[in-house]
Amino acid sequence: MPEKVIEVEHLRQTYDGRTFVVDDVSFNVAKGEIYGLLGKNGAGKTTTIRTMTTILPVHYGKVRILGMDVSENAEKIRRRIGVVLQNESFDFASVERNLKVYGMLWDVPREVLKARIEEVLEVFDLGPLRKVRAMELSGGQKKRLQVAREFIHDMDLLFLDEPTVGLDPIMRRSVLNYIRDKARRGLTVLYTTQIMEEADYLCDRIAIMNRGKIVAEGTSSDLKAKYGDLKTIHVVVSGDIDYESLKSKFPEDVIVDNEEIRIVSKNVEDILPDLIIYLKTKDIRIERISVEESSLDDVFLKVVS
Amino acid sequence: MMPPSLRLTARNLIINTDPGTLLFLIGLPSFYLIVLGLMFQALIPNVVFDGRSISYAQFLSPGVVAMQPFIAGSIGGSMLWSDRRWGMFEQLLVGPFHRIDYLLGIIYVSMIFSVGGALLMFLVSYLLTGFVVHYLVNILLIIVVLLVSSILFTSLFLVLSVFIRTIQTYNTVTMFIFFILDFASSAFYPINGRTPLGLRIVSYANPLTYIVNSVRDMMFARLTGSDLVYVGVVVILSALFFVFAALSYRKAKI
């Protein structure tokens, strides 16, 4: 049986003593696993993370991190975890000094620290910015520094609370690959994001939170199979489309955008032949046609709404 | 392995030792000593202290030395405020430290600023007035008083920075307290029978008076039994303020 790094049992958290922002949440994360916690704003993700990282006390339920109860071993746990907060955090110093000071705070030996600084400066493309003061960086650059800084020290478990906000697609992919590489070497990661593609690409398992509860959990494929029974037909045509006529013929979810038609339905196999015949009778030429499986976005929308 | 509170002290020193902080630490007391000390000399040529006639600038020297814990404490308070504003407070609380380590990290750095500033003030005082503290033991006693006073003032400003939301308000309150404590103490003038009763009461309710009095006696090598009382008051107040700061700090919102 794989070693459990995170064990959350019936966690309930409240700020005012009346409403529960986290309400009966339970999940486990195994060693080396990347676990995605998804949910819209206010779903309870950050409160759950703050509890697991010992910032907030456990009100009801049980939370064990690396085999230790968070209520009893907060400091021991903090020595073995890394946390990239959702909000920006940095010292008023250059990029390089931020990394050096952070390494010193974690008591990283000098030679190791030197090598790690060079590594993260390269991976996170911060080399040309090493002498720039953190407060002068752009939002995306600050985020890169914040994520890079956490890889300066050793850890068994990493919490990443929306770490790619503001990053360009190339850097985002590079960061995700770096995290995946670390997980393959045994690092356990708890990852929250609003970007479903990221969760799909990175996470071994995903939990979707809504109003303080976990409403769906599983691998990306499991979730798509369970909740993603909708498919989308994309048709690119040349010729004028009469939206009203199309809508009356296909009362499903029809979207017309210039010369592109999109129909979302459970029964694409039935609709597709009818659509082709319809377009032919209207003398509309089909340029391209495709059918797409539902994405994690569709699953999320369905589960959360 | 360096203890966590010392790692945080080193971090605070590295991050906060900038020209602005040093100017505030050294510039303001030097300004007092140079401008007030020398300018008032035209008006107050000599002050009688312990049966000796000394210059006003010499009388003022212990006052500016004793100001250092106050100034260092206000810098310490602004460190907490700044860490909360820029997200480092929460980041450090999820790091490999106890909550109390963070508090100690700030108090230790205030102590360093306080003693470092005081030593520089001795130098400025010597250059301006030729004033020398003759006995090493007195310098050591002064350092002890300054260290204890640093706990008092840093604790006071930590409490303020927990409850004050904007840096403008923090600076305004700091300046207000600074003027009240400075001018209602024995830093600039002796508190004696000729001082109006109301002001005398305010002065003796002011912890800076006890710090200035003890530092002045130590600088002039005139230690008496009342210095024990002064130091005792400072120790008790420092302990009380530290407890108050530790309790308030637990409520510090992230």
Side-chain angles (χ1 to χ4, degrees):
Chain A
M1 193 165 164
E3 183 189 335
K4 284 177 190 170
V5 173
I6 300 177
E7 296 161 83
V8 178
E9 287 172 34
H10 305 293
L11 177 67
R12 301 182 85 204
Q13 294 291 86
T14 174
Y15 289 107
D16 59 7
R18 282 173 285 134
T19 40
F20 287 92
V21 288
V22 174
D23 195 0
D24 200 18
V25 162
S26 299
F27 62 92
N28 294 323
V29 181
K31 185 174 165 56
E33 192 177 17
I34 305 179
Y35 190 83
L37 207 51
L38 311 184
K40 55 185 183 180
N41 295 332
K45 307 184 298 283
T46 299
T47 302
T48 306
I49 286 194
R50 282 180 149 193
T51 310
M52 290 187 284
T53 55
T54 77
I55 286 272
L56 294 175
V58 175
H59 294 149
Y60 301 98
K62 218 169 202 181
V63 179
R64 288 173 70 79
I65 301 292
L66 297 158
M68 294 177 277
D69 193 309
V70 289
S71 307
E72 290 160 13
N73 299 286
E75 207 238 335
K76 278 186 189 164
I77 290 169
R78 288 199 295 266
R79 276 192 227 148
R80 292 176 59 190
I81 63 171
V83 185
V84 174
L85 302 167
Q86 190 178 356
N87 298 327
E88 66 179 32
S89 69
F90 55 86
D91 279 319
F92 273 175
S94 69
V95 167
E96 194 174 6
R97 183 160 279 193
N98 262 277
L99 297 172
K100 269 186 189 165
V101 168
Y102 205 67
M104 182 200 69
L105 285 172
W106 278 90
D107 219 12
V108 180
R110 196 169 288 186
E111 282 312 306
V112 178
L113 179 60
K114 212 171 163 188
R116 288 211 184 137
I117 287 175
E118 292 309 317
E119 182 188 327
V120 297
L121 284 175
E122 193 187 327
V123 170
F124 293 89
D125 197 21
L126 290 166
L129 303 167
R130 66 198 302 159
K131 298 290 175 203
V132 178
R133 287 170 77 88
M135 63 182 173
E136 287 161 13
L137 300 174
S138 69
Q141 289 166 338
K142 279 180 193 160
K143 204 70 190 178
R144 264 149 61 192
L145 171 60
Q146 214 175 324
V147 180
R149 192 178 57 185
E150 218 48 49
F151 287 102
I152 286 287
H153 64 91
D154 291 323
M155 60 200 149
D156 296 309
L157 169 62
L158 175 61
F159 293 91
L160 292 153
D161 197 355
E162 301 191 18
T164 56
V165 174
L167 300 193
D168 62 63
I170 297 169
M171 185 44 66
R172 184 181 298 161
R173 184 52 66 96
S174 167
V175 169
L176 296 183
N177 287 342
Y178 189 70
I179 294 166
R180 201 153 65 170
D181 183 51
K182 293 282 179 189
R184 281 192 189 130
R185 293 167 195 221
L187 178 69
T188 309
V189 178
L190 191 133
Y191 193 93
T192 78
T193 181
Q194 309 262 12
I195 306 165
M196 300 300 137
E197 284 167 30
E198 265 182 21
D200 207 358
Y201 180 76
L202 186 71
C203 299
D204 300 314
R205 277 192 307 138
I206 291 163
I208 298 176
M209 285 188 81
N210 191 31
R211 293 181 186 169
K213 290 178 186 293
I214 289 184
V215 287
E217 191 190 27
T219 64
S220 174
S221 330
D222 287 347
L223 293 175
K224 282 177 195 168
K226 190 170 178 187
Y227 299 99
D229 48 0
L230 297 172
K231 289 181 181 171
T232 306
I233 304 170
H234 279 271
V235 189
V236 179
V237 298
S238 53
D240 293 332
I241 305 162
D242 180 354
Y243 177 75
E244 293 306 324
S245 152
L246 188 69
K247 182 77 186 162
S248 63
K249 178 84 180 163
F250 302 98
E252 307 277 342
D253 194 358
V254 175
I255 299 164
V256 175
D257 183 11
N258 288 328
E259 292 188 328
E260 189 182 342
I261 302 164
R262 275 201 320 162
I263 301 177
V264 181
S265 172
K266 281 183 180 177
N267 312 309
V268 289
E269 292 82 1
D270 299 336
I271 291 172
L272 194 56
D274 292 346
L275 178 65
I276 293 169
I277 292 165
Y278 169 84
L279 293 172
K280 206 164 188 183
T281 54
K282 295 285 175 186
D283 223 12
I284 297 170
R285 187 182 149 91
I286 297 172
E287 297 291 341
R288 203 167 64 237
I289 194 160
S290 65
V291 177
E292 284 178 11
E293 295 286 331
S294 47
S295 65
L296 202 57
D297 256 332
D298 299 323
V299 173
F300 182 80
L301 288 172
K302 189 167 181 184
V303 169
V304 168
S305 62
Chain B
M1 190 174 156
M2 206 196 288
S5 56
L6 293 187
R7 296 204 297 270
L8 285 160
T9 306
R11 174 252 176 190
N12 290 339
L13 264 180
I14 294 168
I15 299 302
N16 293 293
T17 309
D18 54 44
T21 305
L22 293 178
L23 185 70
F24 184 50
L25 192 67
I26 309 299
L28 192 66
S30 300
F31 175 84
Y32 273 140
L33 194 58
I34 295 165
V35 176
L36 292 184
L38 297 182
M39 299 293 265
F40 272 95
Q41 214 145 280
L43 197 65
I44 315 163
N46 289 302
V47 179
V48 176
F49 180 79
D50 191 28
R52 281 182 280 174
S53 177
I54 56 171
S55 71
Y56 180 67
Q58 285 181 335
F59 178 81
L60 194 57
S61 293
V64 294
V65 168
M67 269 178 212
Q68 291 301 320
F70 182 91
I71 297 174
S74 74
I75 294 170
S78 69
M79 285 178 209
L80 172 59
W81 191 91
S82 175
D83 280 344
R84 286 175 69 204
R85 167 67 183 82
W86 300 109
M88 280 310 287
F89 183 56
E90 183 174 0
Q91 188 70 57
L92 294 171
L93 290 189
V94 291
F97 316 104
H98 279 298
R99 254 178 115 98
I100 197 76
D101 290 326
Y102 180 82
L103 200 63
L104 292 175
I106 289 184
I107 289 177
Y108 292 160
V109 89
S110 298
M111 286 174 161
I112 294 170
F113 278 156
S114 175
V115 172
L119 293 176
L120 281 170
M121 279 305 107
F122 282 140
L123 186 67
V124 173
S125 172
Y126 170 71
L127 293 173
L128 279 179
T129 69
F131 183 83
V132 181
V133 182
H134 288 284
Y135 303 107
L136 180 64
V137 67
N138 286 20
I139 292 186
L140 293 177
L141 283 171
I142 291 168
I143 288 174
V144 170
V145 171
L146 293 176
L147 291 176
V148 177
S149 314
S150 299
I151 298 173
L152 193 164
F153 288 117
T154 309
S155 301
L156 168 72
F157 285 105
L158 284 172
V159 172
L160 290 177
S161 68
V162 166
F163 295 108
I164 292 176
R165 286 175 181 229
T166 69
I167 194 68
Q168 291 87 344
T169 313
Y170 180 80
N171 288 339
T172 308
V173 171
T174 301
M175 289 317 288
F176 182 71
I177 295 175
F178 187 78
F179 277 103
I180 300 249
L181 290 193
D182 247 10
F183 288 99
S185 75
S186 54
F188 296 99
Y189 17 71
I191 308 296
N192 54 30
R194 291 170 64 192
T195 309
L197 181 64
L199 286 175
R200 220 184 309 160
I201 292 168
V202 171
S203 296
Y204 281 112
N206 178 354
L208 193 60
T209 297
Y210 300 96
I211 300 166
V212 172
N213 286 353
S214 53
V215 169
R216 187 169 281 137
D217 285 351
M218 288 164 192
M219 282 179 78
F220 283 95
R222 174 195 172 265
L223 286 172
T224 62
S226 53
D227 289 303
L228 271 179
V229 177
Y230 299 150
V231 175
V233 170
V234 175
V235 168
I236 290 166
L237 285 176
S238 297
L240 283 175
F241 273 83
F242 179 75
V243 171
F244 190 36
L247 292 174
S248 311
Y249 160 79
R250 287 170 66 177
K251 296 186 181 214
K253 286 204 175 98
I254 292 162

